[in-house]
Amino acid sequence: MSHPGALGLSGSAKRAGAPTGELLRNLIIGLMAFLTVVDLFATQAILPSLARAYGVSPAAIGIAVNATTLGMAFGGLGVALLGRRIDRRRGVVVSLLLLAVPTALLGTLPDLWLFAALRVLQGVCMAAAFTLTLAYLGEACSAAAAAGAFAAYVTGNVASNFVGRLAAAALVDHLGLVPNFVAFSLLNLAGAGLAAVVLNAGRPAPGAPVGGHAWASPLAVWAGHVANPTLSAAFGIGFCILFAFLGTFTYVNFVLTGSPFLVGPMTLGFVYVVFVPALVTTPFAGRVSGRLGFRRGLAASLLVAALGLPLLMLPALPALLIGLVLVGIGTFLAQALATGLVGRSAGDEHASASGLYLVSYYLGGLVGTAVLGLVFERLGWTACMLGVAASLALAAALTTRLREPSST
């Protein structure tokens, strides 16, 4: 387990027993994740409202809203390139402070192209904070504690999906679109404040890159990561996970608001209680990897997600909700396991490996949104779900290339 002060906890927390200290640490890690990525998917809950406000099709507003995934890819690439030079604490704080700016500007309801550009900027800032926090955890936590820490961070991500969507739906339903974006910019500022308080100042000394040479270029480090069969497979799995997740949870909004369900804006927000079971299961990713190993744990998680797809094609709301629960549990658990695997397999280059993973992950989301949006509009929801199934099958095939990292 990492030392109690790894996240700058108070003296009383440092003196707490190991279970209490670990619980407090994981709660703080989860809250940081929540405040970092709460903007990412919350806007999906108000997609129909945005489509009406801008007078555009579901695919057009889906691509604009999910343009954050392009920004996330750029941000992850930037950290992968410059990660060894960036002070972790300062980088996270500055990223979250800057994130509040485009979030607030979205409240001006600019034209759709500027809206998409602001979403890209949001993604860059979120990815920088996200990746630097993952690197911080990989450097501050021992191998034994790392899986739990990464699972806690992804659990915070799950909470942001649920609470963020519910909050966005409630704010838009009662106050309108503009106050919604102002409220989320305040959450960004709260995240910056929390990072300033709980992260230790100063960046860990950079480890030796590929080959043990401190002067190795970032491209040489990246080449080493890509040449690693486990890391390259994990990058591909990450691509498929978000491809499937966004393909499902972006366009299901239009299925729910259409016939035969006819769900209203506020009720649409409550639909996302389907993420609550994932809040319960994702923290167990560390135990899953310990019991089954990363490869079998990932395969099992992907299978759970795939089992939900047939239910999503039934014209019954209870069946559809159960299907969303299974997709949420499976994809979030797979994300936690894949993130932990990358952290454990990256050697001393946590920032670059995490950055490349996030590049692949969010590119998968961008491609999934664009491709499955066209499929949804032209061929319908069933065809869209077949595309999701293909993505999950590819991810499962990639698990055969994984090798379990050393436990030391």
Side-chain angles (χ1 to χ4, degrees), residues 271-301:
V271 163
Y272 290 101
V273 347
V274 296
F275 289 128
V276 171
L279 274 173
V280 176
T281 57
T282 304
F284 292 98
R287 295 186 184 181
V288 171
S289 64
R291 293 270 185 100
L292 299 179
F294 285 100
R295 184 170 66 179
R296 287 192 295 172
L298 274 164
S301 303

Side-chain angles (χ1 to χ4, degrees), residues 1-10 13-14 16-33 133 136-138 140-153 194 198-199 283 286:
M1 179 177 167
S2 63
H3 61 85
L7 287 171
L9 301 183
S10 65
K14 293 179 184 181
T20 302
E22 183 174 358
L23 176 60
L24 179 57
R25 180 203 67 182
N26 287 344
L27 285 173
I28 291 174
I29 291 171
L31 181 58
M32 284 193 59
T133 303
Y136 183 95
L137 294 176
C141 296
S142 67
F150 288 127
Y153 199 75
L194 179 65
V198 303
L199 295 184

